[in-house]
Amino acid sequence: MSGIAEAPGDDAGIVAAIRDAAAAGEPLAVSGNGGKRAMLRPVRAARGLSTRNLSGIVFHSPAELVLSARAGTPLAVIEAALAEHGQHLIAEPPDLGRLLGAAAPPTLGGMVAANLSGPRRISGGAMRDHVLGVRAVNGEGTVIRSGGKVLKNVTGLDLCKLLAGSHGTLAVMTEITLKVLPAPEATMTLVLPGLDAAQGVAALAAALGSPFGVSGAAYLPAAAAARVPALDPADTGTGAGVAVVRLENFAPSVAYRAGRLAEALAGFGAPRQIEDDGSRALWRAIRDAVPLPVAETDAVWRVSVRPSAAPGLVDALAATGARWFLDWGGGLVWIAAPAEAATHRVVTAATAAAMGAWMLLRAPEALSAGIDVLPPPPAVLARLTRRVKTAFDPRGILNPGRMYAGI
Amino acid sequence: MTVQPEPKASVLARCGQIVTGLREAAGVGAVIADLVSLRAYETDGLPAYRQTPLAVVLPETTEQVAAVLAFCQANGVRVVPRGAGTSLSGGALPLADAVVIGLMRMNRVLAIDYADRVATVQAGVTNLAISGAVGGEGFFYAPDPSSQLACMIGGNIAMNSGGAHCLKYGVTANNVLGLTIVTMAGEIVTLGGAHLDAAGYDWLGILTGSEGQLAIVTEVTVRILRSPEGARAMLAAFASNEVAGAAVAAIIGSGVIPVALEFMDRPAIHACEAFAHAGYPLDAEAMLIVEVEGSEAEQDALLARLAAIIRRFDPLSLRLAATAEESAAIWKGRKGAFGAIGRISPDYLCMDGVIPTSELPAVLGRIGEMSREYGLAVANIFHAGDGNLHPLIMFDANDAASMAKAEEFGAEILKLCVAVGGCLTGEHGVGIEKRDLMPVQFSADDLDQQRRIKSAFDPDWLLNPSKVFPLGAPPVLEAA
């Protein structure tokens, strides 16, 4: 991206910038703080439009579990405001700054536009599940609203869902309303060392299939586990991997459930316990993909599969020299490997064989500009993708090519 | 009464040919075309609206659905999808020139995977049957609309159904991982699967709650959850709606999210008590049912915590269930609410607005005033944790004036919901019932953007038309 980069302070400024670009027929690279610019495909645009100056919490009603903020509000600001009332963001969105080489803090708009969710995805849902309402400006420069400020709403088509995860290709979100929840009083992690991937995923499945409300379930191979200071070297030094399972609840419940869960997992060994602050640090690391050993020139993939397919999938990567770890009970596979087209083919083929979905999260432009970064949709879905894009952005000026070449 | 579009004369004139074409597409046994049999499909859970369709098709496979839709598209025939016909917003109301596609014969559970915690079922499987299929292993499917014994998962997808327990477990959209859909052009598409994050635009998200206007769903993969160790309820009675509303805010603000938090006002309490003899407090202006989950000890601890909060609001009475049986007794009246109202009034409209929970006392006060102005009784049942209000307006359908007044009263309640920052519908959908109120909540630009999405999927607006959006020419997308 080069040339003019506008960062208006109000909706009117966003509208004007988009109308101007539409009139000129020039594409716009849309961003918040730009921290996800290295994600997916590069956008070739003469103009930039940032929401970073649309900042601030507009509304927070703790007793109604609702928060509205302008799209450029840093996530940390929102998290701090929620914490004052003992609340948190349900989907536990990650800060991928380390992976994406970005120092700027992630914004609410960027996080929703990328629909990135952290470890609590397995119990609390995805970022997109908690978007109650959106105000946005479409590719014609028209302000549109969808959803609202209440927890339940099935009035009309839920455009919030389409905008979440659309990476700025459909409309520029200017204000977002989220459902929020009370943060747990206590948290504890059970650590099961000495497991291979198949055993680890089986342990996580047993934990997630228990009635104890597991809210985090990850498997870290030895190399990944060694990167997490919150884990005890006695657990990570075995050469085998580590399964970690999180409980979040009221303190007496956490204590009770940890005991019951340990019984349910007895076949996988006697778990060590990590309490509150240590547990929080561990899951913050997993959330932000810290366990993934990444070289600067590596490509990074994020693969979503049914958990039981994960061990087979990582086996299929063995010859590529890929490093990986599993979150979401095995349902999220983080992969880092040398940025080569051949490796990309192995990852995508293994994911397709497991009937999952892959994302080439980051790669050097030389690779990402020339290949698919998301599974190419079959013909009918490709047509629907183009038509939905046209329905929002008929001139194709918003982040063209970000998800798919030519869209 | 809501205006419906003129039937297409060209379609009515070709009725015989169309029925023949449908039989070729789906098989002779799948097509209903005689007037007597068609009458069973003339209405749904909103019986104030009735219309006999041109024909009904009951396919058994996704391929038959595809063949029927391709035929209808090619012949410009409108299509109305139907599950169990329990829609309270008229979502399955036919048109005179439309073919109803009923999914009730697609009622097989296809796959259950406990390790990955998913189940794949056909669209005509009932909501409760999913929990029934996995209950033996201690699992359940979370969204629990009141009609769950009858309503089908395909219809749940169409309406993004909720239920009393969605405060904790989310609504349908939060529990669906995969869909097989058929477009109006007859193309079969699979979306998502058994994994959590599907690729590309959020097709699952936009399809769920699209009221059968974007595609017909034939197969569904849902998350199944392990059942909690147990659950127990508590009943609290209050001297006023204001105090009960304040107690709700205090509960949520305390950090405890009960698995259910139901509010009933005085008329609802009296109607339900007369019907179910659940021991409800007849001296109360409002009552709350609060349910918590976990082990016995956890239930005790949570109920004690909640009781301490409630006691700050001087409850008239507070009844903690000691056993699952006592808990069931507390729920008995609430679960029979619709039947209870049906017993004291020949007909009622069940409204479905949502309000910010802080507005509850003011909104109930205003609804009470309107009840006197319209001369129609109303009972209020409310999913208090998430603000979803169900006023039940009692009227007499044999009296046209009474019915017109009831509809007007209902519309005024929904406008009030929007005015205080809420919305027209929390779980029943817009359907035909609230179609013409959409401009109350949305600007012309907002609606136009939604209508363009409809056009992206169904350019000719043949699929469940004349619902959701006020009538008007469909937007044409530029070639893409």
Side-chain angles (χ1 to χ4, degrees):
Chain A
M1 193 196 84
S2 59
I4 323 151
E6 286 192 60
D10 56 19
D11 277 22
I14 301 283
V15 166
I18 291 177
R19 289 196 176 158
D20 197 43
E26 288 190 354
L28 280 167
V30 180
S31 66
N33 269 337
K36 296 186 183 65
R37 202 163 282 145
M39 218 177 137
L40 302 179
R41 301 180 79 254
V43 174
R44 311 246 182 256
R47 303 173 183 226
L49 178 60
S50 166
T51 57
R52 69 174 178 270
N53 289 331
L54 299 173
S55 191
I57 293 167
V58 178
F59 173 79
H60 179 201
S61 176
E64 291 170 335
L65 308 175
V66 174
L67 177 139
S68 303
R70 301 213 289 166
T73 312
L75 268 190
V77 169
I78 293 170
E79 284 165 344
L82 289 173
E84 269 182 43
H85 295 274
Q87 296 187 326
H88 70 175
L89 292 171
I90 306 164
E92 205 176 3
D95 180 349
L96 300 182
R98 183 188 72 95
L99 277 188
L100 298 171
T107 62
L108 173 63
M111 203 53 73
V112 171
N115 186 27
L116 284 169
S117 317
R120 211 177 287 115
R121 168 78 176 93
I122 48 169
S123 61
M127 203 65 203
R128 62 78 124 156
D129 286 305
H130 310 116
V131 178
L132 301 176
V134 159
R135 197 171 66 227
V137 184
N138 70 15
E140 290 182 319
T142 302
V143 176
I144 52 168
R145 290 170 317 135
S146 183
K149 287 182 162 54
V150 284
L151 296 188
K152 257 169 109 182
N153 188 347
V154 296
T155 320
L157 286 173
D158 187 359
L159 303 182
C160 303
K161 293 286 193 311
L162 275 178
L163 296 185
S166 68
H167 299 276
T169 61
L170 299 180
V172 178
M173 288 181 275
T174 59
E175 187 177 312
I176 295 164
T177 301
L178 295 176
K179 176 184 178 180
V180 298
L181 279 179
E185 182 179 283
T187 171
M188 181 189 287
T189 298
L190 300 186
V191 183
L192 289 159
L195 304 179
D196 66 21
Q199 293 166 325
V201 169
L204 300 180
L208 289 165
S210 80
F212 304 118
V214 167
S215 73
Y219 174 78
L220 311 177
R227 296 172 54 84
V228 182
L231 287 170
D232 191 311
D235 292 333
T236 60
T238 63
V242 178
V244 286
V245 175
R246 176 173 63 181
L247 294 167
E248 294 179 303
N249 214 311
F250 294 103
S253 281
V254 166
Y256 162 75
R257 291 178 181 217
R260 294 293 310 276
L261 197 51
E263 290 167 23
L265 298 175
F268 300 95
R272 187 192 300 270
Q273 296 182 348
I274 303 180
E275 294 190 355
D276 294 301
D277 285 347
S279 179
R280 289 192 188 93
L282 168 64
W283 290 98
R284 201 173 308 120
I286 291 171
R287 182 194 81 175
D288 296 346
V290 169
L292 189 68
V294 188
E296 201 169 324
T297 53
D298 278 348
V300 175
W301 293 262
R302 212 169 177 265
V303 172
S304 182
V305 287
R306 62 181 202 281
S308 61
L313 186 134
V314 296
D315 272 353
L317 305 178
T320 66
R323 288 132 280 144
W324 52 269
F325 78 93
L326 310 178
D327 194 0
W328 300 354
L332 173 64
V333 188
W334 285 97
I335 302 165
E340 289 161 11
T343 308
H344 184 60
R345 282 193 295 274
V346 174
V347 172
T348 58
T351 307
M355 293 185 293
W358 49 268
M359 168 190 283
L360 178 56
L361 184 84
R362 95 161 201 213
E365 264 198 49
L367 183 64
S368 64
I371 59 173
D372 294 317
V373 297
L374 296 168
V380 177
L381 218 43
R383 193 191 72 225
L384 286 173
T385 301
R386 283 193 300 273
R387 288 182 61 82
V388 164
K389 168 76 171 171
T390 300
F392 279 97
D393 177 22
R395 282 168 193 78
I397 59 167
L398 300 178
N399 270 355
R402 183 115 178 91
M403 297 173 71
Y404 305 103
I407 296 182
Chain B
M1 196 58 146
T2 306
V3 176
Q4 287 290 69
E6 279 297 306
K8 294 182 181 179
S10 61
V11 168
L12 294 180
R14 285 181 294 137
C15 181
Q17 278 170 269
I18 289 166
V19 168
T20 303
L22 294 172
R23 288 185 172 133
E24 283 166 10
V28 173
V31 179
I32 297 169
D34 69 282
L35 273 179
V36 174
S37 306
L38 285 177
R39 203 146 289 151
Y41 298 87
E42 68 183 9
T43 189
D44 55 13
L46 188 66
Y49 296 80
R50 290 173 191 275
Q51 173 61 56
T52 309
L54 188 76
V56 172
V57 187
L58 305 176
E60 293 179 33
T61 66
T62 298
E63 289 70 26
Q64 287 174 353
V65 173
V68 169
L69 284 176
F71 172 81
C72 289
Q73 164 106 328
N75 287 276
V77 178
R78 292 164 171 154
V79 170
V80 175
R82 181 183 176 100
T86 56
S87 172
L88 294 169
S89 61
L93 179 74
L95 292 159
D97 59 350
V99 171
V100 168
I101 299 184
L103 280 298
M104 53 284 268
R105 288 184 183 172
M106 295 189 67
N107 59 0
R108 286 187 300 129
V109 174
L110 300 175
I112 299 170
D113 181 343
Y114 295 106
D116 291 327
R117 300 167 302 283
V118 292
T120 300
V121 303
Q122 290 183 315
V125 170
T126 63
N127 173 291
L128 199 57
I130 302 177
S131 288
V134 301
E137 296 290 322
F139 283 75
F140 73 113
Y141 173 63
D144 59 341
S146 296
S147 57
Q148 68 180 153
L149 186 62
C151 68
M152 292 169 183
I153 190 67
N156 289 181
I157 301 289
M159 294 318 212
N160 192 12
S161 304
H165 291 80
C166 56
L167 181 58
K168 174 163 182 191
Y169 292 108
V171 294
T172 303
N174 313 120
N175 289 279
V176 173
L177 296 183
L179 293 176
T180 299
I181 62 166
V182 186
T183 67
M184 189 60 218
E187 301 148 325
I188 298 168
V189 186
T190 59
L191 304 169
H195 50 287
L196 288 177
D197 272 10
Y201 290 147
D202 188 358
W203 304 114
L204 298 172
I206 194 68
L207 261 300
T208 306
S210 65
E211 305 206 13
Q213 292 204 312
L214 302 186
I216 291 187
V217 171
T218 60
E219 292 180 14
V220 184
T221 299
V222 295
R223 304 185 75 177
I224 52 173
L225 302 176
R226 180 65 191 264
S227 305
E229 288 189 88
R232 229 169 339 132
M234 172 169 62
L235 191 161
F238 298 93
S240 73
N241 291 331
E242 283 77 7
V243 175
V248 167
I251 289 169
I252 302 287
S254 76
V256 181
I257 301 295
V259 66
L261 185 51
E262 295 286 293
F263 179 112
M264 293 165 72
D265 71 357
R266 183 182 189 90
I269 295 167
H270 280 252
C272 291
E273 178 59 20
F275 182 66
H277 309 294
Y280 284 178
L282 296 176
D283 57 336
E285 286 300 315
M287 65 169 248
L288 295 176
I289 298 174
V290 189
E291 186 173 74
V292 299
E293 286 180 345
S295 69
E296 289 286 335
E298 287 178 308
Q299 295 166 22
D300 287 341
L302 286 171
L303 288 174
R305 206 184 260 248
L306 291 169
I309 295 167
I310 287 171
R311 287 202 182 90
R312 301 205 316 254
F313 296 89
D314 298 324
L316 299 176
S317 61
L318 185 58
R319 185 168 128 204
L320 277 72
T323 62
E325 291 69 37
E326 288 183 29
S327 200
I330 288 175
W331 274 109
K332 188 179 168 200
R334 166 64 185 89
K335 292 200 169 167
F338 290 4
I341 302 295
R343 225 177 60 144
I344 59 172
S345 171
D347 302 282
Y348 65 88
L349 286 178
C350 177
M351 308 310 292
D352 175 44
V354 185
I355 56 173
T357 50
S358 60
E359 298 287 344
L360 179 63
V363 168
L364 290 185
R366 181 67 194 122
I367 289 175
E369 287 169 18
M370 285 194 269
S371 168
R372 290 185 285 278
E373 287 161 22
Y374 283 97
L376 293 173
V378 61
N380 287 291
I381 292 169
F382 183 56
H383 302 309
D386 51 31
N388 195 180
L389 185 64
H390 293 308
L392 302 166
I393 301 171
M394 293 164 243
F395 70 102
D396 179 358
N398 292 322
D399 173 356
S402 169
M403 179 163 164
K405 269 201 297 186
E407 288 195 318
E408 194 185 324
F409 182 8
E412 288 305 312
I413 291 174
L414 296 183
K415 287 177 191 171
L416 175 64
C417 290
V418 174
V420 301
C423 67
L424 296 172
T425 172
E427 54 188 9
H428 295 174
V430 177
I432 191 79
E433 184 202 23
K434 295 176 277 284
R435 181 189 77 191
D436 295 331
L437 289 172
M438 286 290 271
V440 174
Q441 185 173 332
F442 293 110
S443 73
D445 287 339
D446 300 338
L447 281 176
D448 184 57
Q449 186 65 71
Q450 293 183 35
R451 285 158 44 86
R452 288 199 220 177
I453 299 303
K454 163 74 171 155
S455 288
F457 280 81
D458 176 21
D460 302 327
W461 284 57
L462 293 173
L463 198 45
N464 215 11
S466 83
K467 314 269 170 71
V468 184
F469 301 108
L471 299 182
V476 177
L477 298 183
E478 294 170 30

